[in-house]
């Protein structure tokens, strides 16, 4: 049975990955799971210099999800390369750093430096963080700014480049199409949805940054819709995420068009869930007598021209 999937020339041993920002640099997760068993780990959004992140409240549980306002706290490029990457490489993890610079130039510099390291399998360009004032979601919601940052980051990257899309737009597929035109090797969908919490006692927003990003099972139907719409318009692989907690959730994303999936918020509920899902997927494919997972990608769509469609 084949459960490996491809992103350009990068082969992921299975489609299960952990989402950026919900698995840090793998250190905490490594106490619970064997990181080498994952398709890949997307590490926390990285900037050139360390960032302290946002002040005040940072995370709040909501019905079936969380709101977060972390503000891209991270160790910076130097410590990532000297401490975090060796830790992950020693454990046999496939590492995909998440690039989250403030400016077009910072993103390009990060892509250049990171992709020069052979321990980096691919890069994910985060143009969709809702929790920072500069960069972040501005890049992901304005097609001109998006074009600029993807063009320069693509040029600077010597490894597969995945562009992480913002769901906070009316036409997410338009951004995916633009990423494909500009040479991105894959897109990931989705980052968090803009949300807000009002503290009724204080009559003020709960988060200092006022808005925050909503994730977890609460957003799953929205994320599945986004993946479906993106898959209709592009040929590059789509990495699907948003509230995945179970085998069925993962299958929904794959049938909507995802070549790989990420577990995010649910890592905070059960740090073993991503690796458990690898086994659950293998058992399900065996029961369904499907020899190659790739046959299932996009199975919920009408058959594409020039393909043989899904066969079981
Ligand atoms: C606490 C937290 C921190 C996050 N940090 C990042 C980040 O640094 N970069 C990024 O691209 N996405 C970040 N995300 C978004 C997730 O990677 C993911 O896109 C989103 O949470 C949806 O997936 P989920 O519903 O499975 O969590 C973060 C999410 C959470 C909950």
């Amino acid at each position: 049975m084949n459960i490996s999937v491809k992103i350009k020339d990068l082969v992921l041993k299975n489609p299960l990955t952990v989402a950026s920002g919900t698995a840090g640099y793998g250190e905490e997760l490594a106490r619970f799971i064997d990181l080498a068993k994952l398709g890949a780990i997307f590490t926390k959004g990285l900037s050139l210099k360390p960032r302290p992140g946002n002040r005040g409240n940072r995370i709040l549980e909501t019905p079936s999800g969380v709101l977060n306002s972390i503000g891209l706290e991270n160790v910076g490029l130097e410590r990532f390369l000297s401490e975090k990457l060796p830790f992950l490489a020693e454990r046999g993890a496939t590492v995909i750093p998440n690039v989250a610079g403030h400016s077009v130039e910072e993103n390009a510099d990060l892509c250049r430096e990171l992709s020069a390291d052979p321990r980096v399998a691919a890069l994910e360009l985060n143009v969709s963080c809702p929790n920072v004032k500069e960069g972040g979601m501005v890049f992901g919601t304005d097609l001109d700014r998006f074009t600029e940052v993807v063009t320069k980051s693509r040029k600077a990257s010597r490894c597969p480049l995945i562009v992480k899309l913002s769901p906070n737009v009316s036409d997410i597929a338009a951004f995916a199409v633009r990423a494909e035109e500009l040479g991105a090797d894959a897109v990931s969908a989705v980052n968090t949805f803009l949300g807000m919490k009002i503290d009724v006692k204080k009559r003020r927003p709960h988060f200092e940054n006022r808005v925050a990003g909503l994730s977890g099972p609460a957003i799953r139907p929205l994320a599945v819709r986004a993946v479906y719409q993106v898959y209709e318009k592009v040929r590059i692989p789509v990495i699907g995420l948003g509230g995945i907690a179970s085998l069925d959730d993962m299958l929904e994303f794959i049938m909507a068009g995802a070549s790989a999936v990420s577990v995010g918020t649910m890592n905070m509920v059960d740090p073993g869930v991503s690796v458990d899902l690898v086994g659950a997927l293998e058992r399900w494919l065996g029961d369904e007598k499907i020899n190659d997972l790739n046959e299932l990608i996009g199975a919920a769509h009408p058959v594409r021209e020039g393909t043989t469609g899904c066969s079981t």
Side-chain angles (χ1 to χ4, degrees):
M1 179 192 300
N2 175 39
I3 59 165
S4 69
V5 294
K6 270 182 96 173
I7 295 172
K8 184 87 172 168
D9 301 327
L10 173 67
V11 178
L12 302 184
K13 59 175 86 75
N14 66 62
L16 257 304
T17 71
V18 286
S20 177
T22 64
Y25 310 99
E27 285 142 322
E28 295 83 2
L29 214 51
R31 286 192 249 135
F32 300 94
I33 61 168
D34 176 359
L35 297 175
K37 288 196 173 147
L38 291 172
I41 170 168
F42 288 85
T43 54
K44 176 66 191 170
L46 206 59
S47 43
L48 284 173
K49 297 275 171 251
R51 290 181 73 149
N54 289 341
R55 288 184 309 178
N57 295 321
R58 287 181 166 207
I59 196 151
L60 180 77
E61 197 166 339
T62 64
S64 271
V66 295
L67 275 169
N68 92 79
S69 174
I70 307 292
L72 294 174
E73 174 183 355
N74 77 92
V75 296
L77 180 66
E78 207 178 298
R79 258 186 82 198
F80 179 79
L81 290 175
S82 64
E83 262 177 47
K84 309 298 180 185
L85 192 53
F87 174 89
L88 290 163
E90 273 163 30
R91 278 152 191 82
T94 299
V95 186
I96 307 185
N98 181 269
V99 172
H102 302 272
S103 63
V104 171
E105 291 68 33
E106 185 178 0
N107 280 309
D109 289 346
L110 283 159
C111 288
R112 190 172 305 106
E113 299 282 333
L114 286 163
S115 66
D117 194 305
R119 294 167 296 184
V120 168
L123 293 172
E124 181 178 55
L125 181 64
N126 174 7
V127 288
S128 42
C129 180
N131 299 323
V132 287
K133 290 198 175 68
E134 312 141 63
M137 219 174 71
V138 178
F139 291 132
T141 55
D142 175 321
L143 257 184
D144 292 336
R145 297 287 284 153
F146 181 84
T147 301
E148 206 185 334
V149 72
V150 175
T151 303
K152 297 240 167 84
S153 299
R154 169 69 286 175
K155 218 168 151 209
S157 305
R158 281 179 263 162
C159 65
L161 182 71
I162 303 160
V163 176
K164 186 159 183 181
L165 302 173
S166 172
N168 301 302
V169 293
S170 52
D171 182 5
I172 192 168
F175 286 82
V177 168
R178 182 62 59 88
E180 182 175 48
E181 287 167 354
L182 297 172
D185 299 300
V187 286
S188 41
V190 292
N191 209 317
T192 53
F193 285 79
L194 263 189
M196 199 171 182
K197 167 76 181 173
I198 304 292
D199 182 330
V200 295
K201 281 206 191 103
K202 293 185 182 153
R203 303 183 184 188
R204 288 283 174 277
H206 175 78
F207 294 103
E208 200 150 306
N209 199 34
R210 299 195 297 277
V211 294
L214 182 66
S215 62
I219 70 166
R220 193 168 52 238
L222 299 165
V224 171
R225 180 269 300 162
V227 167
Y228 191 96
Q229 289 177 330
V230 166
Y231 180 83
E232 279 180 322
K233 294 283 163 64
V234 299
R235 293 286 159 149
I236 50 176
V238 183
I239 297 159
L241 72 165
I244 293 177
S246 71
L247 172 67
D248 271 18
D249 300 343
M250 170 176 55
L251 292 173
E252 271 197 64
F253 276 91
I254 293 171
M255 291 177 189
S259 295
V261 295
S262 298
V263 174
T265 299
M266 290 311 286
N267 290 312
M268 296 188 252
V269 177
D270 173 5
V273 68
S274 51
V275 168
D276 290 348
L277 286 176
V278 179
L281 177 64
E282 279 175 327
R283 283 191 296 280
W284 184 83
L285 289 170
D287 291 346
E288 294 287 314
K289 303 197 173 26
I290 298 174
N291 290 325
D292 187 349
L293 169 71
N294 289 273
E295 290 173 15
L296 214 61
I297 298 167
H301 291 258
V303 177
R304 277 180 168 183
E305 251 174 68
T307 64
T308 52
C310 158
S311 60
T312 54

